Amino acid sequence: MAGMGDGYVGTAQDGVRIRRLEKQREAERRKIEELKNKSASSGGQTGLLQFGSGTSEILETAFKKETVGLVTREQYVEKRVNIQNKFEEEEKEKLQKLQQEEEELQLQKRKKRKIKGNPRLSFSEDIENGSDEEDGENKSQKSKWFGNGKLGKDPTVETSFLPDSEREAEEQAERERLRKQWLREQEQIRNEPLEITYSYWDGTGHRRVIQASEDYLCCVRKGDSIGEFLRAIQQQLAPEFREIRTTSVENLLYVKEDLIIPHQHSFYELIINKARGKSGPLFHFDVHEDVRTIADATIEKDESHAGKVVERHWYEKNKHIFPASRWEIYDQTKKWERYTIHGD
């Protein structure tokens, strides 16, 4: 193949590709040579001074640029002096500018220190820059604000959302006072005497009343439990009923509105919680009927029936017979189906 060595054995396409690559390499070689020539010709007269050059080097470089070609001795000296004077003026301007920037920086630092030293006073700049009259007004205003012992606080600003140890201490003291007052009131309620109408049930009803009297030995209070109430009932009924004299308080049951109320519950709990039974409220202990001229199913009936005191042996023997068949254990978390109860 023409243009190839004697040992070349490639195809025509390979030869074309090789010639194209040789032309590209030649063009790149020429560009590199041109760049080298340009850098060599302008190497001594660069318009930019090298970083870190000394003052003498800068002067020498500027002087060379001004004295290109033939010049007389007077022109040579004049240009030398002019360049040196110009350079000195530029240096003075730079120095003055640096000094001015340093002074401004120091002034800003002093202002920051003043603000940081008295952060509560938002009018400090007005006091410094104002006139003598404004200074007098500010001083009088400051004396008014500082007279209450709390420096820098503006009484017109809303601060209720901020933490305040004094206010929190007052609130805590008020809560503690109200808590003690509430406990005293509840203790007074517990100590109030309670008049209870009940019926001793042994198949027939024997209605009795425990009077709300301070002097009566069998008096029951609102804070007493059902067990303490049954102990008072036992003392009241013992002279009349032999079976009551021979039994214990644990074998007596108190049934109110068809619910057997356990001994550990107190009358205070029933009153405070407004407990209700199947046929009426558990917090009324008298006997009254709910008389209405207009029937309204949305309003609960307020009629109250006498609670029954029953011996446990009698209940176990007759719990499959009415009315004991309707009795259930009281559960304060349960809602009961309501109906009208028959007489005791």
Side-chain angles (χ1 to χ4, degrees):
M1 180 181 292
M4 299 295 171
D6 295 337
Y8 178 74
V9 292
T11 62
Q13 292 179 354
D14 292 336
V16 172
R17 185 171 59 83
I18 290 170
R19 285 194 297 270
R20 187 172 66 252
L21 292 175
E22 287 179 351
K23 289 180 181 180
Q24 290 177 0
R25 290 193 189 100
E26 185 64 26
E28 291 175 358
R29 195 177 297 112
R30 284 197 300 269
K31 287 181 181 180
I32 292 171
E33 291 294 333
E34 290 176 359
L35 291 174
K36 285 182 179 180
N37 295 332
K38 286 182 180 181
S39 61
S41 62
S42 61
Q45 298 180 359
T46 55
L48 298 176
L49 298 177
Q50 296 295 326
F51 178 76
S53 299
T55 304
S56 59
E57 294 179 359
I58 296 172
L59 285 172
E60 190 66 28
T61 303
F63 182 68
K64 287 180 179 179
K65 290 181 180 180
E66 295 292 335
T67 56
V68 177
L70 296 175
V71 292
T72 61
R73 183 176 180 278
E74 290 78 7
Q75 291 175 343
Y76 181 87
V77 173
E78 183 181 358
K79 289 183 178 182
R80 181 80 177 184
V81 172
N82 290 338
I83 290 173
Q84 189 169 358
N85 292 336
K86 186 178 179 181
F87 181 76
E88 288 176 356
E89 289 177 0
E90 291 179 355
E91 289 294 324
K92 286 181 181 180
E93 290 178 0
K94 289 181 181 179
L95 184 59
Q96 290 176 358
K97 189 175 181 181
L98 289 174
Q99 289 177 353
Q100 186 178 1
E101 291 177 355
E102 183 67 22
E103 290 176 357
E104 292 178 357
L105 183 61
Q106 293 296 332
L107 181 60
Q108 290 179 0
K109 288 182 178 180
R110 284 197 296 272
K111 287 183 179 180
K112 287 182 180 179
R113 281 199 294 269
K114 287 182 180 179
I115 295 172
K116 191 176 290 186
N118 194 2
R120 295 182 179 180
L121 301 179
S122 60
F123 50 83
S124 60
E125 293 182 0
D126 296 336
I127 294 174
E128 291 178 359
N129 300 328
S131 61
D132 295 339
E133 295 179 358
E134 291 175 349
D135 290 343
E137 293 177 359
N138 289 333
K139 287 180 181 179
S140 62
Q141 191 174 9
K142 283 167 61 181
S143 62
K144 290 180 181 179
W145 288 357
F146 297 163
N148 57 4
K150 295 182 178 180
L151 298 179
K153 286 190 176 180
D154 186 353
T156 62
V157 175
E158 178 63 30
T159 59
S160 59
F161 60 92
L162 297 174
D164 190 341
S165 58
E166 294 181 4
R167 185 175 68 246
E168 290 174 358
E170 291 175 359
E171 291 176 355
Q172 182 64 29
E174 181 66 15
R175 283 195 292 269
E176 184 65 20
R177 186 188 67 79
L178 293 175
R179 186 184 70 84
K180 290 180 179 179
Q181 180 181 350
W182 183 84
L183 291 176
R184 286 195 301 270
E185 292 174 354
Q186 299 309 307
E187 189 63 27
Q188 291 176 358
I189 293 174
R190 289 188 179 94
N191 289 327
E192 291 177 1
L194 188 64
E195 183 176 302
I196 301 177
T197 301
Y198 70 95
S199 176
Y200 172 59
W201 188 266
D202 57 356
T204 57
H206 308 277
R207 183 172 292 187
R208 299 287 187 276
V209 177
I210 288 187
Q211 299 292 336
S213 173
E214 296 289 344
D215 299 331
Y216 194 69
L217 295 176
C218 297
C219 177
V220 177
R221 303 180 187 278
K222 291 183 179 180
D224 292 345
S225 65
I226 301 299
E228 293 171 336
F229 162 69
L230 292 175
R231 184 174 291 106
I233 293 298
Q234 187 185 29
Q235 295 176 6
Q236 189 181 37
L237 297 178
E240 299 182 42
F241 301 96
R242 183 176 61 84
E243 62 273 17
I244 295 295
R245 290 198 302 269
T246 57
T247 191
S248 63
V249 175
E250 288 75 15
N251 289 325
L252 294 178
L253 303 177
Y254 179 60
V255 183
K256 175 71 172 166
E257 310 298 346
D258 283 346
L259 294 179
I260 302 172
I261 303 178
H263 289 197
Q264 71 270 16
H265 291 287
S266 67
F267 294 106
Y268 173 80
E269 295 177 17
L270 301 176
I271 295 170
I272 292 297
N273 296 325
K274 301 290 184 182
R276 301 194 65 89
K278 292 183 177 181
S279 57
L282 299 178
F283 50 89
H284 290 165
F285 305 100
D286 58 347
V287 177
H288 63 269
E289 295 182 357
D290 186 10
V291 180
R292 303 185 186 183
T293 57
I294 300 175
D296 189 353
T298 61
I299 302 176
E300 294 181 343
K301 288 187 176 182
D302 192 38
E303 60 185 9
S304 177
H305 310 91
K308 295 180 175 62
V309 176
V310 183
E311 189 183 7
R312 188 182 297 273
H313 175 71
W314 183 93
Y315 171 70
E316 295 293 340
K317 183 178 178 181
N318 298 280
K319 63 182 180 181
H320 61 288
I321 302 173
F322 180 86
S325 60
R326 296 196 307 188
W327 298 349
E328 296 183 46
I329 303 295
Y330 168 70
D331 183 359
Q332 58 185 354
T333 62
K334 184 177 179 181
K335 289 187 177 180
W336 309 96
E337 182 181 356
R338 295 167 191 159
Y339 49 74
T340 302
I341 195 171
H342 296 280
D344 56 8

